[in-house]
Amino acid sequence: MNEDREVLKLVGARIRALRKERGYSQESLGEKGGFHFSYIGQIERGEKNVSLVNLAKIAESLDVNLIQLFAYVEEEFEVTETETLINELVDILRSANPVSIRLIINVTKQILLDNK
């Protein structure tokens, strides 16, 4: 049981560190993700066993990949330039319409095929 609590505390500390890096309060992070600020506080303190779905919402609100929530504070987590660029592209695609996305996919396939 203590091991379970330790995982919750490590993930919570990571969320807190990412939130503070971005200058968000618990309230502003909660608003971005659709949560009450007290719930964010409970997660950060390791008091709540947060669902994977809610972790995904928190990661999105923090503009990070879900996996980055598991790169604990005391560990170094290096995000490669490629991963950063892919995240930027995904952010752009999220606001595009399906026709534009299809066009982007086709152009991307052609570019990658030409570079082989």
PDB file of all heavy atoms in Angstrom, residues 1 12 14 18 24 28 38 41 49 65-66 77-78 81-83 86 88 100 102 105 109 111:
ATOM      1  N   MET A   1       0.815  -1.190   0.000  1.00  0.00           N
ATOM      2  CA  MET A   1       0.000   0.000   0.000  1.00  0.00           C
ATOM      3  C   MET A   1       0.866   1.264   0.000  1.00  0.00           C
ATOM      4  O   MET A   1       0.546   2.233  -0.670  1.00  0.00           O
ATOM      5  CB  MET A   1      -0.889  -0.028   1.232  1.00  0.00           C
ATOM      6  CG  MET A   1      -2.356   0.208   1.057  1.00  0.00           C
ATOM      7  SD  MET A   1      -3.082  -0.023  -0.543  1.00  0.00           S
ATOM      8  CE  MET A   1      -4.755   0.041  -0.062  1.00  0.00           C
ATOM      9  N   GLY A  12       2.063  13.270  -8.556  1.00  0.00           N
ATOM     10  CA  GLY A  12       1.545  14.553  -8.083  1.00  0.00           C
ATOM     11  C   GLY A  12       2.622  15.625  -8.045  1.00  0.00           C
ATOM     12  O   GLY A  12       2.393  16.768  -8.451  1.00  0.00           O
ATOM     13  N   ARG A  14       5.269  15.702  -9.867  1.00  0.00           N
ATOM     14  CA  ARG A  14       5.606  16.017 -11.264  1.00  0.00           C
ATOM     15  C   ARG A  14       4.584  16.999 -11.850  1.00  0.00           C
ATOM     16  O   ARG A  14       4.952  17.956 -12.523  1.00  0.00           O
ATOM     17  CB  ARG A  14       5.655  14.724 -12.085  1.00  0.00           C
ATOM     18  CG  ARG A  14       5.981  14.934 -13.538  1.00  0.00           C
ATOM     19  CD  ARG A  14       7.386  15.452 -13.752  1.00  0.00           C
ATOM     20  NE  ARG A  14       7.638  15.546 -15.172  1.00  0.00           N
ATOM     21  CZ  ARG A  14       8.490  16.377 -15.725  1.00  0.00           C
ATOM     22  NH1 ARG A  14       9.220  17.171 -14.978  1.00  0.00           N
ATOM     23  NH2 ARG A  14       8.642  16.417 -17.021  1.00  0.00           N
ATOM     24  N   LEU A  18       5.433  20.776 -13.220  1.00  0.00           N
ATOM     25  CA  LEU A  18       5.069  21.224 -14.563  1.00  0.00           C
ATOM     26  C   LEU A  18       4.124  22.427 -14.506  1.00  0.00           C
ATOM     27  O   LEU A  18       4.249  23.372 -15.286  1.00  0.00           O
ATOM     28  CB  LEU A  18       4.421  20.083 -15.350  1.00  0.00           C
ATOM     29  CG  LEU A  18       5.362  18.942 -15.752  1.00  0.00           C
ATOM     30  CD1 LEU A  18       4.562  17.736 -16.228  1.00  0.00           C
ATOM     31  CD2 LEU A  18       6.339  19.402 -16.829  1.00  0.00           C
ATOM     32  N   TYR A  24       1.115  28.411 -13.856  1.00  0.00           N
ATOM     33  CA  TYR A  24      -0.312  28.208 -13.596  1.00  0.00           C
ATOM     34  C   TYR A  24      -0.560  28.051 -12.103  1.00  0.00           C
ATOM     35  O   TYR A  24       0.232  27.436 -11.391  1.00  0.00           O
ATOM     36  CB  TYR A  24      -0.825  26.921 -14.261  1.00  0.00           C
ATOM     37  CG  TYR A  24      -0.801  26.878 -15.761  1.00  0.00           C
ATOM     38  CD1 TYR A  24      -0.784  25.662 -16.412  1.00  0.00           C
ATOM     39  CD2 TYR A  24      -0.815  28.021 -16.539  1.00  0.00           C
ATOM     40  CE1 TYR A  24      -0.776  25.580 -17.801  1.00  0.00           C
ATOM     41  CE2 TYR A  24      -0.809  27.961 -17.918  1.00  0.00           C
ATOM     42  CZ  TYR A  24      -0.784  26.735 -18.545  1.00  0.00           C
ATOM     43  OH  TYR A  24      -0.771  26.666 -19.910  1.00  0.00           O
ATOM     44  N   SER A  28      -6.120  27.842 -12.192  1.00  0.00           N
ATOM     45  CA  SER A  28      -6.068  28.000 -13.648  1.00  0.00           C
ATOM     46  C   SER A  28      -5.859  26.662 -14.344  1.00  0.00           C
ATOM     47  O   SER A  28      -6.438  26.412 -15.398  1.00  0.00           O
ATOM     48  CB  SER A  28      -4.994  29.010 -14.055  1.00  0.00           C
ATOM     49  OG  SER A  28      -3.705  28.586 -13.689  1.00  0.00           O
ATOM     50  N   SER A  38      -9.394  22.252  -5.974  1.00  0.00           N
ATOM     51  CA  SER A  38      -9.091  21.399  -4.813  1.00  0.00           C
ATOM     52  C   SER A  38      -8.731  19.981  -5.261  1.00  0.00           C
ATOM     53  O   SER A  38      -7.919  19.315  -4.621  1.00  0.00           O
ATOM     54  CB  SER A  38     -10.255  21.379  -3.831  1.00  0.00           C
ATOM     55  OG  SER A  38     -11.401  20.795  -4.410  1.00  0.00           O
ATOM     56  N   GLY A  41      -5.146  20.039  -6.236  1.00  0.00           N
ATOM     57  CA  GLY A  41      -4.347  20.011  -5.012  1.00  0.00           C
ATOM     58  C   GLY A  41      -4.239  18.608  -4.426  1.00  0.00           C
ATOM     59  O   GLY A  41      -3.160  18.184  -3.997  1.00  0.00           O
ATOM     60  N   ASN A  49      -6.186   8.953  -6.220  1.00  0.00           N
ATOM     61  CA  ASN A  49      -5.749   7.998  -7.230  1.00  0.00           C
ATOM     62  C   ASN A  49      -6.458   8.381  -8.524  1.00  0.00           C
ATOM     63  O   ASN A  49      -7.561   7.945  -8.809  1.00  0.00           O
ATOM     64  CB  ASN A  49      -6.103   6.573  -6.803  1.00  0.00           C
ATOM     65  CG  ASN A  49      -5.475   5.538  -7.707  1.00  0.00           C
ATOM     66  OD1 ASN A  49      -4.828   5.865  -8.687  1.00  0.00           O
ATOM     67  ND2 ASN A  49      -5.673   4.278  -7.354  1.00  0.00           N
ATOM     68  N   ASN A  65       3.166  15.601 -23.202  1.00  0.00           N
ATOM     69  CA  ASN A  65       2.728  14.240 -23.481  1.00  0.00           C
ATOM     70  C   ASN A  65       2.406  13.551 -22.162  1.00  0.00           C
ATOM     71  O   ASN A  65       3.048  13.828 -21.142  1.00  0.00           O
ATOM     72  CB  ASN A  65       3.834  13.439 -24.180  1.00  0.00           C
ATOM     73  CG  ASN A  65       4.064  13.896 -25.587  1.00  0.00           C
ATOM     74  OD1 ASN A  65       3.136  14.304 -26.279  1.00  0.00           O
ATOM     75  ND2 ASN A  65       5.303  13.840 -26.024  1.00  0.00           N
ATOM     76  N   LEU A  66       1.468  12.646 -22.209  1.00  0.00           N
ATOM     77  CA  LEU A  66       1.081  11.900 -21.012  1.00  0.00           C
ATOM     78  C   LEU A  66       2.297  11.274 -20.339  1.00  0.00           C
ATOM     79  O   LEU A  66       2.428  11.308 -19.110  1.00  0.00           O
ATOM     80  CB  LEU A  66       0.040  10.835 -21.378  1.00  0.00           C
ATOM     81  CG  LEU A  66      -0.523  10.001 -20.252  1.00  0.00           C
ATOM     82  CD1 LEU A  66      -1.228  10.869 -19.223  1.00  0.00           C
ATOM     83  CD2 LEU A  66      -1.497   8.971 -20.801  1.00  0.00           C
ATOM     84  N   PHE A  77      14.326  14.147 -17.704  1.00  0.00           N
ATOM     85  CA  PHE A  77      13.514  13.687 -18.831  1.00  0.00           C
ATOM     86  C   PHE A  77      13.812  14.613 -19.986  1.00  0.00           C
ATOM     87  O   PHE A  77      13.475  15.793 -19.942  1.00  0.00           O
ATOM     88  CB  PHE A  77      12.021  13.708 -18.490  1.00  0.00           C
ATOM     89  CG  PHE A  77      11.170  13.159 -19.599  1.00  0.00           C
ATOM     90  CD1 PHE A  77      11.037  11.794 -19.755  1.00  0.00           C
ATOM     91  CD2 PHE A  77      10.522  13.999 -20.485  1.00  0.00           C
ATOM     92  CE1 PHE A  77      10.255  11.277 -20.766  1.00  0.00           C
ATOM     93  CE2 PHE A  77       9.743  13.491 -21.500  1.00  0.00           C
ATOM     94  CZ  PHE A  77       9.608  12.123 -21.643  1.00  0.00           C
ATOM     95  N   GLU A  78      14.501  14.083 -20.975  1.00  0.00           N
ATOM     96  CA  GLU A  78      14.891  14.891 -22.110  1.00  0.00           C
ATOM     97  C   GLU A  78      13.878  14.712 -23.232  1.00  0.00           C
ATOM     98  O   GLU A  78      13.598  13.593 -23.658  1.00  0.00           O
ATOM     99  CB  GLU A  78      16.276  14.483 -22.593  1.00  0.00           C
ATOM    100  CG  GLU A  78      16.799  15.361 -23.696  1.00  0.00           C
ATOM    101  CD  GLU A  78      18.200  14.977 -24.110  1.00  0.00           C
ATOM    102  OE1 GLU A  78      18.977  14.558 -23.239  1.00  0.00           O
ATOM    103  OE2 GLU A  78      18.496  15.090 -25.300  1.00  0.00           O
ATOM    104  N   GLU A  81      14.317  17.065 -29.945  1.00  0.00           N
ATOM    105  CA  GLU A  81      13.834  18.097 -30.867  1.00  0.00           C
ATOM    106  C   GLU A  81      12.729  17.527 -31.749  1.00  0.00           C
ATOM    107  O   GLU A  81      11.728  18.200 -32.010  1.00  0.00           O
ATOM    108  CB  GLU A  81      14.981  18.620 -31.724  1.00  0.00           C
ATOM    109  CG  GLU A  81      14.535  19.711 -32.681  1.00  0.00           C
ATOM    110  CD  GLU A  81      15.663  20.222 -33.569  1.00  0.00           C
ATOM    111  OE1 GLU A  81      16.780  19.685 -33.508  1.00  0.00           O
ATOM    112  OE2 GLU A  81      15.393  21.156 -34.325  1.00  0.00           O
ATOM    113  N   THR A  82      12.896  16.278 -32.183  1.00  0.00           N
ATOM    114  CA  THR A  82      11.883  15.644 -33.024  1.00  0.00           C
ATOM    115  C   THR A  82      10.549  15.558 -32.297  1.00  0.00           C
ATOM    116  O   THR A  82       9.503  15.885 -32.856  1.00  0.00           O
ATOM    117  CB  THR A  82      12.347  14.230 -33.455  1.00  0.00           C
ATOM    118  OG1 THR A  82      13.553  14.354 -34.201  1.00  0.00           O
ATOM    119  CG2 THR A  82      11.295  13.523 -34.287  1.00  0.00           C
ATOM    120  N   GLU A  83      10.573  15.147 -31.035  1.00  0.00           N
ATOM    121  CA  GLU A  83       9.338  15.041 -30.259  1.00  0.00           C
ATOM    122  C   GLU A  83       8.677  16.410 -30.085  1.00  0.00           C
ATOM    123  O   GLU A  83       7.461  16.537 -30.190  1.00  0.00           O
ATOM    124  CB  GLU A  83       9.619  14.401 -28.903  1.00  0.00           C
ATOM    125  CG  GLU A  83       8.365  14.081 -28.127  1.00  0.00           C
ATOM    126  CD  GLU A  83       8.636  13.329 -26.847  1.00  0.00           C
ATOM    127  OE1 GLU A  83       9.737  12.803 -26.651  1.00  0.00           O
ATOM    128  OE2 GLU A  83       7.705  13.271 -26.023  1.00  0.00           O
ATOM    129  N   ILE A  86       7.030  17.263 -33.386  1.00  0.00           N
ATOM    130  CA  ILE A  86       5.818  16.448 -33.575  1.00  0.00           C
ATOM    131  C   ILE A  86       4.679  17.005 -32.723  1.00  0.00           C
ATOM    132  O   ILE A  86       3.545  17.125 -33.186  1.00  0.00           O
ATOM    133  CB  ILE A  86       6.096  14.963 -33.260  1.00  0.00           C
ATOM    134  CG1 ILE A  86       6.989  14.367 -34.341  1.00  0.00           C
ATOM    135  CG2 ILE A  86       4.793  14.172 -33.125  1.00  0.00           C
ATOM    136  CD1 ILE A  86       7.544  12.990 -34.017  1.00  0.00           C
ATOM    137  N   GLU A  88       4.302  20.059 -31.779  1.00  0.00           N
ATOM    138  CA  GLU A  88       3.877  21.315 -32.406  1.00  0.00           C
ATOM    139  C   GLU A  88       2.935  21.030 -33.578  1.00  0.00           C
ATOM    140  O   GLU A  88       1.898  21.678 -33.729  1.00  0.00           O
ATOM    141  CB  GLU A  88       5.102  22.093 -32.881  1.00  0.00           C
ATOM    142  CG  GLU A  88       4.784  23.455 -33.441  1.00  0.00           C
ATOM    143  CD  GLU A  88       6.037  24.211 -33.861  1.00  0.00           C
ATOM    144  OE1 GLU A  88       7.151  23.890 -33.380  1.00  0.00           O
ATOM    145  OE2 GLU A  88       5.897  25.138 -34.683  1.00  0.00           O
ATOM    146  N   SER A 100      -8.580  19.600 -44.453  1.00  0.00           N
ATOM    147  CA  SER A 100      -7.200  20.090 -44.366  1.00  0.00           C
ATOM    148  C   SER A 100      -6.270  19.018 -43.821  1.00  0.00           C
ATOM    149  O   SER A 100      -5.143  18.868 -44.297  1.00  0.00           O
ATOM    150  CB  SER A 100      -7.128  21.336 -43.476  1.00  0.00           C
ATOM    151  OG  SER A 100      -7.841  22.393 -44.046  1.00  0.00           O
ATOM    152  N   ARG A 102      -6.597  15.767 -44.102  1.00  0.00           N
ATOM    153  CA  ARG A 102      -6.381  14.780 -45.169  1.00  0.00           C
ATOM    154  C   ARG A 102      -5.343  15.292 -46.165  1.00  0.00           C
ATOM    155  O   ARG A 102      -4.454  14.568 -46.588  1.00  0.00           O
ATOM    156  CB  ARG A 102      -7.711  14.466 -45.869  1.00  0.00           C
ATOM    157  CG  ARG A 102      -7.632  13.540 -47.051  1.00  0.00           C
ATOM    158  CD  ARG A 102      -6.977  12.188 -46.828  1.00  0.00           C
ATOM    159  NE  ARG A 102      -7.551  11.438 -45.738  1.00  0.00           N
ATOM    160  CZ  ARG A 102      -6.901  10.452 -45.100  1.00  0.00           C
ATOM    161  NH1 ARG A 102      -5.684  10.108 -45.459  1.00  0.00           N
ATOM    162  NH2 ARG A 102      -7.457   9.812 -44.108  1.00  0.00           N
ATOM    163  N   ILE A 105      -1.919  15.076 -44.630  1.00  0.00           N
ATOM    164  CA  ILE A 105      -1.452  13.679 -44.623  1.00  0.00           C
ATOM    165  C   ILE A 105      -0.911  13.304 -45.993  1.00  0.00           C
ATOM    166  O   ILE A 105       0.178  12.723 -46.114  1.00  0.00           O
ATOM    167  CB  ILE A 105      -2.586  12.727 -44.185  1.00  0.00           C
ATOM    168  CG1 ILE A 105      -2.870  12.904 -42.695  1.00  0.00           C
ATOM    169  CG2 ILE A 105      -2.237  11.273 -44.508  1.00  0.00           C
ATOM    170  CD1 ILE A 105      -4.120  12.183 -42.218  1.00  0.00           C
ATOM    171  N   LYS A 109       2.963  12.347 -46.762  1.00  0.00           N
ATOM    172  CA  LYS A 109       3.342  11.051 -47.343  1.00  0.00           C
ATOM    173  C   LYS A 109       4.210  11.255 -48.575  1.00  0.00           C
ATOM    174  O   LYS A 109       5.215  10.576 -48.754  1.00  0.00           O
ATOM    175  CB  LYS A 109       2.096  10.242 -47.712  1.00  0.00           C
ATOM    176  CG  LYS A 109       1.407   9.617 -46.529  1.00  0.00           C
ATOM    177  CD  LYS A 109       0.184   8.824 -46.997  1.00  0.00           C
ATOM    178  CE  LYS A 109      -0.548   8.200 -45.847  1.00  0.00           C
ATOM    179  NZ  LYS A 109      -1.767   7.490 -46.303  1.00  0.00           N
ATOM    180  N   ILE A 111       6.091  13.864 -49.389  1.00  0.00           N
ATOM    181  CA  ILE A 111       7.403  14.390 -49.013  1.00  0.00           C
ATOM    182  C   ILE A 111       8.291  13.278 -48.474  1.00  0.00           C
ATOM    183  O   ILE A 111       9.461  13.159 -48.855  1.00  0.00           O
ATOM    184  CB  ILE A 111       7.260  15.520 -47.959  1.00  0.00           C
ATOM    185  CG1 ILE A 111       6.628  16.750 -48.596  1.00  0.00           C
ATOM    186  CG2 ILE A 111       8.611  15.860 -47.328  1.00  0.00           C
ATOM    187  CD1 ILE A 111       6.207  17.819 -47.602  1.00  0.00           C
TER     188      ILE A 111
END
